[in-house]
Amino acid sequence: MILARLVLENFRQYAGEHVVEIPDQATVAVVGRNGAGKTIEWCLYGSPLPGELATHGATGQTRVALTLRDPEGAEWVVERNAGKRGDRAAVVYRADAPEAPLAQGKSDVTTYVATRLIGLGHK
């Protein structure tokens, strides 16, 4: 799978919606310290992130959506949301059929990503 797009909405220091298009030839590493890409890990696996997820003073939901593309060009979206009261939601769907989720709920999305979408567990 190729990382194709990352959408951050009211997530930590990113107030409003920010879309990052990732070029096909890009290399992405998910490692280490603050600012090193662990948001992608959280989106895929629901791994705990320290501190607040929501942007202070922002209105609207906190959302991270990661689009993955396979070699044939099909795209899947993994999306995680965090509510104001700490509640969380997650969904996976094909980009061409967002109305038909393939998995919903935190643990089901994590399992789907690990076993069907990427084929790698979090560890």
Side-chain angles (χ1 to χ4, degrees), residues 6-86:
L6 177 65
V7 178
L8 303 170
E9 184 177 348
N10 298 322
F11 185 81
R12 297 200 165 178
Q13 70 267 31
Y14 300 99
E17 183 179 84
H18 299 267
V19 179
V20 179
E21 299 289 342
I22 303 170
D24 289 340
Q25 67 275 15
T27 300
V28 177
V30 180
V31 295
R33 299 184 173 275
N34 290 343
K38 295 179 302 296
T39 301
I40 294 171
E41 178 188 14
W42 176 71
C43 188
L44 291 174
Y45 297 105
S47 307
L49 288 175
E52 281 293 314
L53 298 181
T55 302
H56 295 290
T59 58
Q61 69 175 343
T62 296
R63 179 174 72 99
V64 175
L66 180 64
T67 302
L68 302 168
R69 184 179 308 125
D70 73 13
E72 288 79 41
E75 293 185 338
W76 288 262
V77 179
V78 180
E79 185 175 315
R80 294 202 187 250
N81 299 284
K84 297 271 185 212
R85 295 170 295 186

